[in-house]
Amino acid sequence: MQRQRGQWKSSVGFVLAAAGSAIGLGNIWRFPYVTGTNGGGAFVVIYLICILLICLPYVFAELVLGRRTSRNPVGAIRTLRPGSRWIAVGGLAVLTALFILSYYAVIAGWAFGYIFKSLLAPAMPHGAFTASPIVAVPLFAIFLVLTVLVVIGGIEHGIERWSKILMPVLLVLMLAVIVRGLTLDGAMKGVAFFLKPDFSKVTASVVVAALGQAFYSLSLGMGAMITYGSYLPKSANLRISGAYVALFDTMIALLAGFMIFPALFALGKDPASGPTLIFEVLPEIFKAMPLGGLVAVFFFILLSIAALTSTVSLLEVPVSYFVDERRWTRSRSVWTVGVIAFLIGLPSALSQGAVPSLSSMSLQGNTSFLYIMDFVWGNLSLAIGAMLLSIFVGWIWGVQRAGDALQRGSSTSERFVRVWGFFLRWVCPAFIFLVLLSLFPAGGRLLTLLGLS
Ligand code: PHE
């Protein structure tokens, strides 16, 4: 059974694959613009606190759930609590992965297209680029096909092999772009915006954004870490591996800040430009740089690489469901899920100007079908999923049993398990619940009444 499902060959391979899942558009596209619209330094501090206090304990929960059961999110819960309603939480995770994949690959397609656009049509406005269906749809399809080709190779020969090659390349390319940005005149203003916290800017919505970004960035709440954990041998040290994944992901997000803000401020651009920040503002920055054309090509290659190792993990979650639970072959699962993701993603691809009704729809301040999908699946659903999964592991499966499973392969102490259990049972669900509540008008009023926001 183990062999059929596949397994990581080495713990380095696992860490790089899981870091590859975590590191993606979330770090390089989303983190800078969310930081920019939420005031800079203070947001970064809250983000780091969320990673440390909420996400890190929670990462261990997903990993141990996967490794203990060697199953996809649905199968993992079914193994531990057969026939219970909790299985639906696994179902939600699989669905969330599919829906995130559907719009994430659209944005990843733009990033991929920008490699060529930077060379061939640098003057074309971003809006015209994404509005054109003959540009956006084929790019989206190409990106999905690339993802399919990696995932079809399986765990060791597909995902692990490619992550091991692509992640170090990503780091080197990023460092090159950072050095270029930091050496521009006036770059230090950007460093100050990014690092100097101004806590007067912190509101409830800044905390919501920080927590949402933390989950999104670490690929949590939708079973990616359950699934990747399920390919770990029982001898792996989950605590160390999980901590490395969180560390690398946070490092790359911070590096992305150093890549964007110094250059942004050096050229006098607005950090609060929103989701189009890196696509609209960065190319202008590149244009003003010596060797800018080359830097632009580099940058979008690295963005595509980072996105690919993430779409791979998004695709792997539903694929593992079909392989484990439905006994489909890997290639049948991969192609089927790929085609479904393409169909679901079409409205997102067409929502940036191609189809007016899809482009103008709006929900809670998120305009266009694509950004509504990001809000519903990339924000809400991840938070709900993470809250329910931490309750499942902390209360239903139980900290003691989960702790025993966590201790296999590492010298985790009793005390560690107790502290971990406390975070998992109380801190994670309660904090996420409050954050979710504040997303709704009535909940927000309640929190204000209680003096919590
Ligand atoms: N963590 C990925 C990123 O930062 C996005 C992602 C979210 C991937 C959820 C898988 C699951 O880009």
Side-chain angles (χ1 to χ4, degrees):
M1 189 64 217
Q2 278 298 335
R3 192 156 330 110
Q4 271 172 16
R5 289 191 83 245
Q7 212 177 67
W8 306 110
K9 199 168 98 202
S10 65
S11 49
V12 176
F14 162 73
V15 169
L16 287 178
S21 163
I23 296 166
L25 295 172
N27 306 58
I28 302 171
W29 160 73
R30 206 169 187 269
F31 177 72
Y33 94 71
V34 179
T35 303
T37 50
N38 284 284
F43 171 86
V44 178
V45 172
I46 298 178
Y47 172 76
L48 293 177
I49 295 176
C50 288
I51 296 272
L52 203 64
L53 295 187
I54 312 291
C55 295
L56 195 58
Y58 177 78
V59 171
F60 300 139
E62 280 205 20
L63 287 177
V64 77
L65 197 54
R67 185 184 61 173
R68 159 70 177 73
T69 58
S70 305
R71 282 288 175 284
N72 64 90
V74 172
I77 297 181
R78 182 177 284 151
T79 304
L80 296 173
R81 285 291 172 277
S84 81
R85 294 218 179 114
W86 286 95
I87 294 169
V89 179
L92 177 71
V94 171
L95 262 188
T96 304
L98 178 64
F99 276 94
I100 295 183
L101 176 62
S102 79
Y103 73 84
Y104 193 97
V106 172
I107 305 167
W110 302 342
F112 186 66
Y114 260 67
I115 300 172
F116 309 97
K117 179 181 175 301
S118 309
L119 289 172
L120 305 174
M124 184 181 190
H126 177 68
F129 180 83
T130 53
S132 162
I134 52 166
V135 174
V137 174
L139 285 172
F140 166 48
I142 290 172
F143 210 88
L144 276 179
V145 170
L146 287 176
T147 309
V148 159
L149 292 179
V150 174
V151 176
I152 231 165
I155 302 308
E156 184 187 332
H157 297 290
I159 302 176
E160 179 168 356
R161 185 173 61 141
W162 282 101
S163 302
K164 265 165 121 171
I165 300 170
L166 295 179
M167 296 318 286
V169 175
L170 171 73
L171 188 65
V172 173
L173 288 180
M174 273 187 104
L175 291 176
V177 180
I178 290 173
V179 170
R180 184 60 280 234
L182 278 177
T183 48
L184 292 170
D185 269 351
M188 286 309 137
K189 273 183 289 179
V191 176
F193 173 82
F194 185 52
L195 291 187
K196 269 220 190 106
D198 170 2
F199 286 106
S200 67
K201 289 189 182 147
V202 175
T203 59
S205 71
V206 172
V207 180
V208 175
L211 184 73
Q213 176 60 26
F215 277 119
Y216 187 87
S217 189
L218 280 173
S219 310
L220 300 179
M222 40 63 72
M225 292 300 150
I226 301 179
T227 308
Y228 275 23
S230 76
Y231 304 123
L232 274 171
K234 301 287 179 230
S235 58
N237 186 329
L238 287 187
R239 211 164 34 121
I240 304 277
S241 301
Y244 266 122
V245 174
L247 182 74
F248 287 156
D249 183 68
T250 309
M251 219 175 67
I252 297 285
L254 295 178
L255 285 180
F258 282 111
M259 189 162 70
I260 311 274
F261 291 112
L264 197 75
F265 277 77
L267 292 162
K269 301 287 176 195
D270 178 13
S273 327
T276 54
L277 183 70
I278 64 161
F279 291 107
E280 264 172 357
V281 181
L282 271 185
E284 275 194 55
I285 296 171
F286 294 143
K287 228 189 298 169
M289 283 178 176
L291 291 181
L294 200 65
V295 181
V297 172
F298 261 5
F299 176 80
F300 288 107
I301 291 177
L302 81 82
L303 190 59
S304 305
I305 291 173
L308 183 62
T309 48
S310 297
T311 50
V312 159
S313 71
L314 286 163
L315 179 57
E316 180 62 28
V317 173
V319 164
S320 69
Y321 167 77
F322 284 112
V323 170
D324 291 346
E325 306 300 307
R326 307 270 155 187
R327 306 264 163 233
W328 287 10
T329 62
R330 190 164 186 85
S331 60
R332 176 175 172 208
S333 313
V334 171
W335 282 110
T336 308
V337 178
V339 169
I340 297 175
F342 178 73
L343 296 176
I344 303 177
L346 271 180
S348 288
L350 297 173
S351 73
Q352 299 303 301
V355 177
S357 57
L358 291 171
S359 313
S360 61
M361 59 196 335
S362 175
L363 180 72
Q364 293 241 6
N366 304 282
T367 307
S368 84
F369 189 81
L370 191 156
Y371 294 118
I372 293 177
M373 292 291 274
D374 186 38
F375 174 66
V376 172
W377 299 102
N379 251 332
L380 269 188
S381 185
L382 291 186
I384 295 172
M387 183 177 73
L388 294 174
L389 281 168
S390 58
I391 295 174
F392 178 78
V393 174
W395 295 94
I396 309 296
W397 184 22
V399 167
Q400 208 47 54
R401 279 179 294 251
D404 288 346
L406 186 66
Q407 280 175 317
R408 292 195 63 179
S410 75
S411 52
T412 313
S413 69
E414 272 309 313
R415 204 166 128 244
F416 177 89
V417 171
R418 265 207 310 279
V419 175
W420 175 64
F422 174 75
F423 273 90
L424 199 62
R425 293 175 79 149
W426 299 101
V427 183
C428 297
F431 189 79
I432 302 171
F433 183 71
L434 288 180
V435 165
L436 277 172
L437 211 56
S438 71
L439 280 176
F440 298 95
R445 280 197 296 278
L446 184 69
L447 290 180
T448 316
L449 271 180
L450 296 172
L452 283 170
S453 90

